Amino acid sequence: MDWKYPSPYPQDNGGTMKRFLIVLIVIISLGMLWADPMPDFKLTDINNKDIALADILGKGPVIVDFWASWCNPCKTAMPYLNDLAVKYDSLTVVLVSVDAPKDIVKAKNFLKGKDFKFIPLFDSEKILAKKLNVSNVPHTFILDKTGEIVLQHIGFEPGAEVQYEEHVKALLNLPTEAE
């Protein structure tokens, strides 16, 4: 006599698994449709002028990159981000320094020696950084033109800019590598 133990797993030829996968795909897709918005902010630029989120939205996608003057990967990312800003007129690139108040002059001097086409802002009190849970730099966000966050990336290594560019192209309705 053969004894068969009942299986704890339903045997329905994959129907349950298929339904589960379909529901999972729908949930993930809806999550992508309801992206988190960038919190409203007002930060000072290199000339101590206040710049608000509304001032940089509307033209096209926006890259917001948090950096610090002591961060070498941040400095490595800057030329790549600048290249994207130069390549796509509708793209706005914003670099937000999280340097301490005593290091703001150092950060400003570093930027003044460069010919970057991006908007430098300063968040020395880390008010915006805290709202976005930015604890490590570089920390990059890509926003659509309405301010919805469509990509978040922590750290930088050459090659990451390719992923950034693919998102920018998709937001600009340009052909991407995947197409």
Side-chain angles (χ1 to χ4, degrees), residues 21 35-36 46 50 67 78 82 103 107 129 131 139 169 172:
L21 289 174
D36 289 330
I46 201 161
D50 285 341
W67 74 286
M78 287 181 185
N82 188 65
D103 295 324
K131 287 181 182 179
H139 194 138
K169 287 163 81 174
L172 293 171

Side-chain angles (χ1 to χ4, degrees), residues 14-156:
T16 302
M17 183 58 95
K18 286 178 188 172
R19 282 190 294 277
F20 173 76
L21 289 174
I22 289 170
V23 168
L24 184 62
I25 290 169
V26 167
I27 290 170
I28 290 170
S29 298
L30 289 175
M32 291 171 62
L33 291 175
W34 290 313
D36 289 330
M38 173 65 74
D40 197 20
F41 64 81
K42 187 180 284 184
L43 298 171
T44 58
D45 69 4
I46 201 161
N47 299 312
N48 295 321
K49 178 183 169 196
D50 285 341
I51 305 291
L53 176 62
D55 298 331
I56 60 173
L57 291 178
K59 184 173 107 175
V62 177
I63 294 177
V64 177
D65 185 68
F66 287 83
W67 74 286
S69 61
W70 48 262
C71 171
N72 286 329
C74 299
K75 292 175 183 178
T76 300
M78 287 181 185
Y80 292 104
L81 295 171
N82 188 65
D83 289 347
L84 290 173
V86 169
K87 188 173 182 178
Y88 300 99
D89 283 341
S90 297
L91 173 65
T92 301
V93 177
V94 178
L95 264 66
V96 180
S97 169
V98 292
D99 282 291
K102 65 181 177 65
D103 295 324
I104 292 288
V105 170
K106 183 179 177 182
K108 286 182 178 183
N109 286 338
F110 173 79
L111 292 173
K112 285 180 182 176
K114 312 290 184 230
D115 188 28
F116 290 132
K117 184 189 174 194
F118 49 67
I119 301 169
L121 299 177
F122 298 88
D123 186 21
S124 59
E125 302 300 323
K126 298 178 180 60
I127 294 168
L128 180 59
K130 287 177 186 172
K131 287 181 182 179
L132 292 165
N133 296 317
V134 172
S135 56
N136 295 315
V137 290
H139 194 138
T140 307
F141 297 86
I142 297 182
L143 318 176
D144 67 13
K145 68 180 179 180
T146 68
E148 297 293 318
I149 298 169
V150 298
L151 176 76
Q152 201 178 149
H153 183 256
I154 300 171
F156 183 82

